[in-house]
Amino acid sequence: MSVRLFLRDTSTVFSREFVPVLREPLGLLFTMGQPLLFLFLFGPLLAGTQSFEGQESPWQWFVPGILIMMCLSGPMMAGYSLLVELIGGSMERLLVTPLNRTAMLVGRTMKEFVILLAQAALIIALAVPLGFRPHLPGVLTGLAILVVFGIGLGSLSFVLAIASSPSGNLFYGVTQLVLFPLILLSGVLLPMDFGPAWLQAAAALNPVTHIVEAERALFSGRFADTSVLYGMLWACVVAATGLAMGTRAMRRGI
Amino acid sequence: MIHARGLTRRFKVGKGGVDAVRGLDIDVEAGQLVAFLGPNGAGKSTSLRMLTSLLPPTSGTATVAGRDVVSDPAGVRARIGYVGQKNSAGENFRVRDELVTQARCYGLRRADARRRADEVLALLDLEALATRKPGTLSGGQRRRLDIALGLIHRPGLLFLDEPSTGLDPQSRANIWEHILRLREEHGTTLFLTTHYLEEADTMAERVVIIDHGRIIADGTAEQLKGELAGDRVTVTVHDEPEAARAAEVAERIAGSDADTVERRTVRLRVPRAGRALPEYLRYLEALGVKVATAETARPTLDDVFLALTGRSLRESDESRRTAPHDA
């Protein structure tokens, strides 16, 4: 019964967030822009380097990386949109309804995810002619991990938004301060293998690194790789932490 | 509808704390229209946020619409409507879409939600604005939309936090028309905060005055004014020495107090001005004090607040206007 209510509330929040996208599809085009820039302006540079020991196409390595980058920025945007609603009165109005608190977080993140999946499909489709060979079950599993990871990130971003209101300064500061190190230290753009030992040690502590490695293994169909297990674990840890903190923040009152 | 006992809320500020609400006791019966009056920062909004389950109380209990705000917040939420101080509709969303969302938040099916959205659009004269975004609406239209959102599930109890603040007089009158109609047609219990004295005075049948987180007066506007403030008599004379003598003699009038002298003007408070003024004028004539003008005035709720706290509601409002947050 309560699961049904949870799903109903999640779908309510999801459709609230998604309807404006359908009403103004042009905005979608802009969100597609950034990953495509990376694919076409940065990808060829990577493909031109000789550092991939000829094992597989650099696209095999780079396409999962772009998806992770989008997966990091999507939830951040979700937090930003929440912050705007917190500063205005619309979040308060929703909080006075019996709407499930967790559903509020999940529904919003799901919207970012539908967009992420659309972007992923587009990028994969465009990368295939360049030499990317997706392993379908692997890609699907990889996207599932990203959904779990993204729900966690989204919730954390909501917690940050709640802590930052009403001024919002904390939110802008922390996202700037955290997002770039997370990306740079995860080996999304360049392999960490060539960095000094301290950088590699720092990268090993970054959950994003493990997710990236899991995605790369999965996109090439290497299900048995231990990185897949670690990636899944990290995604679950982030999701559990995010949802627990997010629901708690909502309960404590805003 | 509302029964609160010892409701308290403390906010942490740096190392210390601020008691925004200190031991609120209040009972509101079904069908009442209660105005919660007080300067900014008095604890109006914090009280409202506790009663609507948005903010857990630090201590105390409250039953709202038959449910406990702490142990069954979801039960409270399903039964009340709330119109907050800020705009309820999200900027990215069309008016009708937000209403449909709101209805679905209360568990209505999609088709029912659409039907209900159209009903409240009609109820608040918003039909023509259904596909607009809130940013393109006027202040009065936005406020009507806020009320529409609060009414979507036909709540028996509606909380309104400063429903008419910042609106021009015409829009204010219009909002009040809608609020009063609600009460007439549906018997909705209304609990609202305001710092417009005239509004509380003319619209509400019960006025609760709060200051520094405590209720300091509770009754009908007439009761409060009669018991706590009294009428005002103002007399001007021709020079200052005469004014001093006029003030002295004022003390002879039964029940008069708090007379003030300002240059050639003497002000005093009396229980009933109609009876006191002729008496006063006779005393003055006997003294040989020539009176230039004499006026009487019925008290306002501001006089009530002044009598209770020694401050004017308008002044304390001004001095707090700079505070970033209305607690």
Side-chain angles (χ1 to χ4, degrees), chain A residues 8 11-12 15-17 19-20 23-24 86-90 92-99 101 252-254, chain B residues 49 54 56 77-78 80 82 84 86-90 92-94 97-98 101-102 104-107 133 149:
Chain A
R8 184 196 73 191
S11 117
T12 300
S15 30
R16 173 175 190 254
E17 297 295 319
V19 163
R23 296 227 191 270
E24 280 158 41
L86 278 169
I87 294 172
S90 46
E92 191 175 76
R93 159 206 130 208
L94 289 170
L95 286 170
V96 187
T97 72
L99 201 65
R101 272 44 189 160
R252 262 218 319 241
I254 291 168
Chain B
R49 291 164 62 77
L54 276 172
R77 289 176 194 135
I80 61 164
Y82 171 75
K86 292 185 257 180
N87 289 307
S88 297
N92 268 328
F93 308 91
R94 292 186 182 177
D97 290 345
E98 277 291 70
T101 299
Q102 186 76 351
R104 295 194 65 206
C105 289
Y106 287 100
K133 286 188 180 179
L149 285 161

Side-chain angles (χ1 to χ4, degrees), chain B residues 105-273:
Chain B
C105 289
Y106 287 100
L108 266 70
R109 287 170 195 287
R110 213 176 283 264
D112 297 332
R114 290 205 187 102
R115 195 173 320 121
R116 182 62 189 150
D118 289 333
E119 275 173 31
V120 290
L121 280 172
L123 189 69
L124 286 143
D125 300 327
L126 289 165
E127 288 136 311
L129 310 170
T131 59
R132 300 253 294 264
K133 286 188 180 179
T136 67
L137 306 187
S138 74
Q141 291 169 335
R142 290 190 78 135
R143 216 58 189 131
R144 291 213 305 274
L145 173 57
D146 295 340
I147 294 176
L149 285 161
L151 288 180
I152 200 94
H153 58 300
R154 301 186 180 88
L157 168 62
L158 184 65
F159 290 93
L160 301 118
D161 200 356
E162 313 248 341
S164 56
T165 299
L167 298 180
D168 58 88
Q170 206 179 344
S171 307
R172 268 171 71 183
N174 178 259
I175 290 291
W176 270 104
E177 234 172 75
H178 285 294
I179 291 177
L180 294 177
R181 200 176 67 193
L182 253 176
R183 198 166 116 77
E184 230 165 78
E185 290 177 9
H186 303 281
T188 312
T189 310
L190 295 164
F191 191 95
L192 54 97
T193 71
T194 178
H195 60 246
Y196 289 122
L197 299 159
E198 314 78 48
E199 267 183 17
D201 201 340
T202 53
M203 305 296 184
E205 60 189 11
R206 177 172 167 202
V207 177
V208 177
I209 302 183
I210 182 171
D211 189 40
H212 295 311
R214 282 201 185 89
I215 290 179
I216 54 173
D218 183 349
T220 66
E222 285 312 310
Q223 274 171 0
L224 295 182
K225 287 189 286 193
E227 288 166 18
L228 297 165
D231 293 353
R232 194 187 348 221
V233 171
T234 309
V235 166
T236 55
V237 293
H238 290 285
D239 58 35
E240 288 179 32
E242 291 213 327
R245 288 167 66 201
E248 228 169 87
V249 80
E251 277 152 30
R252 283 198 230 156
I253 294 168
S256 84
D257 64 337
D259 53 318
T260 56
V261 186
E262 206 180 273
R263 305 195 55 184
R264 292 181 294 129
T265 308
V266 182
R267 290 192 182 85
L268 48 145
R269 295 198 174 285
V270 294
R272 297 193 48 193

Side-chain angles (χ1 to χ4, degrees), chain A residues 175-199:
Chain A
T175 46
Q176 290 302 312
L177 219 67
V178 167
L179 196 66
F180 280 101
L182 274 184
I183 289 181
L184 291 174
L185 272 181
S186 65
V188 165
L189 296 172
L190 289 167
M192 296 307 290
D193 310 347
F194 312 118
W198 65 268
L199 208 59

